[in-house]
Amino acid sequence: MVVGHADSYPVLEHWLAIVGRGASIECDFLGMSFTPMERKGEPRVIELILEMLARGHADRILLSQDVCDNSQLTAYDGNGYAYIAERLLRACATGA
């Protein structure tokens, strides 16, 4: 079982409850910039991902990009398909 869009509710207790029941969480709004929460909320999501990793839940975290609009492509000044590999993982590694 995977609970998608977990990054739309970035609350540690919520995420822990999900994985505590044996399900996985999916953060799939990564790199999006349609709403203020998406633009400004990603540092909190990174913080929670790092906390989940520190608690041993790496096998229960899925990262993806819900690229669904041309404005998200690099050709249109969006973050593009490589955002997770090129930027998000670096931010997680540095804790920023």
Side-chain angles (χ1 to χ4, degrees), residues 61-84:
I61 302 170
L62 302 164
L63 306 177
S64 77
Q65 291 176 252
D66 197 352
V67 177
C68 59
D69 187 82
N70 284 346
S71 67
Q72 294 170 275
L73 302 174
T74 54
Y76 298 100
D77 296 323
N79 286 315
Y81 287 109
Y83 176 77
I84 291 174

Side-chain angles (χ1 to χ4, degrees), residues 39-56:
R39 285 189 298 275
K40 298 182 191 239
E42 196 162 283
R44 173 65 178 150
V45 172
I46 291 171
E47 178 183 304
L48 289 178
I49 290 170
L50 293 172
E51 181 63 29
M52 295 294 284
L53 293 173
R55 291 175 182 239

Side-chain angles (χ1 to χ4, degrees), residues 1-7 14-15 17-29 57-65:
M1 169 69 73
V2 175
V3 175
H5 304 301
D7 47 343
H14 179 69
W15 288 16
I18 292 169
V19 299
R21 289 178 175 85
S24 296
I25 60 168
E26 179 186 28
C27 297
D28 50 7
F29 288 138
H57 298 298
D59 62 333
R60 296 286 179 193
I61 302 170
L62 302 164
L63 306 177
S64 77
Q65 291 176 252

Side-chain angles (χ1 to χ4, degrees), residues 46 49-50 53 63 87-96:
I46 291 171
I49 290 170
L50 293 172
L53 293 173
L63 306 177
R87 292 175 43 202
L88 184 87
L89 293 179
R90 189 174 331 138
C92 286
T94 62

